[in-house]
Amino acid sequence: MGAKLDDGGGKEKVNKWQPEAILALRCLRQAVPAVPVLYLWYVELGLSKEDVFLLTSVSSAVTVVSEVPSGWIADKLGRRGTLMTAFLMLWGGHVLLAWGWVWTAAVIKPLGCALFSGTDTALLHETARTLHLTPQDTLGHESRHIFAVQTTEAIVAVTGSLLTPHEAAALSCVPMFAGMLLSSALTNPPAPAPPPMRQA
């Protein structure tokens, strides 16, 4: 078990390794080997160029619409629950994609993306506050995360291009499932204490 730090409230304890876990989640989220061969997979499934354009439009529309309530959902489920739900939807979407259910996947995956978007950043900053990290420390984490995520994307893209479209689509399910499991190990940082009431 990793060391945990109590912020003084006595209710929630945050693992000191949680910033590294968030880094791993960000890398897993971008570890999609199907990306470079996705169009080829659509072609193998018999989709025309018009179908692919419509499919992309549907996916984009769902992403935009679902971004609106995602913050409210994150507040209700908590950061941990939101990330678990996001990876569950991403995993389900990639499973559907691998099985050829592309239209259903075009709805499920964007929902997962919207739930993940912003939740990881909020959790990192709330974790940094609970662990009493300085702004410089937090910025350092963000910088390392950006580098690690971009490196992951590059490596996974090369890997995906060496696979058949179906293999790449099937392999994309694995990081999402791993992300769902890792999310369950996170802790929701406690809310900051309200400022003291001013005396009249």
Side-chain angles (χ1 to χ4, degrees):
M1 292 290 291
K4 294 185 176 182
L5 181 68
D6 191 343
D7 76 328
K11 295 182 179 180
E12 296 281 355
K13 293 183 179 181
V14 176
N15 285 291
K16 291 184 178 180
W17 49 256
Q18 185 148 295
E20 307 307 323
I22 297 170
L23 166 60
L25 288 175
R26 286 172 162 176
C27 290
L28 290 169
R29 163 67 185 86
Q30 298 302 124
V32 186
V35 169
V37 293
L38 190 56
Y39 178 76
L40 298 178
W41 179 230
Y42 289 152
V43 172
E44 284 191 18
L45 293 174
L47 272 66
S48 65
K49 291 181 179 180
E50 291 75 15
D51 291 333
V52 174
F53 177 79
L54 180 59
L55 188 68
T56 304
S57 300
V58 169
S59 181
S60 298
V62 174
T63 300
V64 171
V65 173
S66 56
E67 283 282 356
V68 177
S70 62
W72 178 83
I73 294 174
D75 290 336
K76 294 298 181 181
L77 295 180
R79 308 304 182 197
R80 174 177 174 270
T82 301
L83 289 174
M84 289 178 63
T85 305
F87 275 105
L88 174 63
M89 289 186 171
L90 288 168
W91 172 73
H94 282 288
V95 169
L96 292 169
L97 178 64
W99 280 93
W101 291 58
V102 295
W103 294 100
T104 309
V107 175
I108 300 298
K109 286 200 303 173
L111 293 175
C113 291
L115 287 175
F116 186 90
S117 176
T119 304
D120 58 321
T121 302
L123 179 59
L124 177 61
H125 285 267
E126 291 169 0
T127 298
R129 183 199 69 231
T130 303
L131 297 178
H132 308 298
L133 300 182
T134 66
Q136 291 76 13
D137 290 335
T138 306
L139 181 59
H141 279 296
E142 287 284 15
S143 299
R144 289 192 302 105
H145 287 199
I146 292 172
F147 175 78
V149 168
Q150 291 179 340
T151 302
T152 300
E153 284 184 291
I155 295 173
V156 172
V158 172
T159 303
S161 65
L162 300 176
L163 303 173
T164 67
H166 190 202
E167 289 172 343
L171 187 60
S172 298
C173 303
V174 177
M176 305 307 140
F177 187 77
M180 184 169 55
L181 295 179
L182 180 56
S183 298
S184 67
L186 300 176
T187 302
N188 286 319
M197 297 278 296
R198 295 184 62 182
Q199 297 294 330

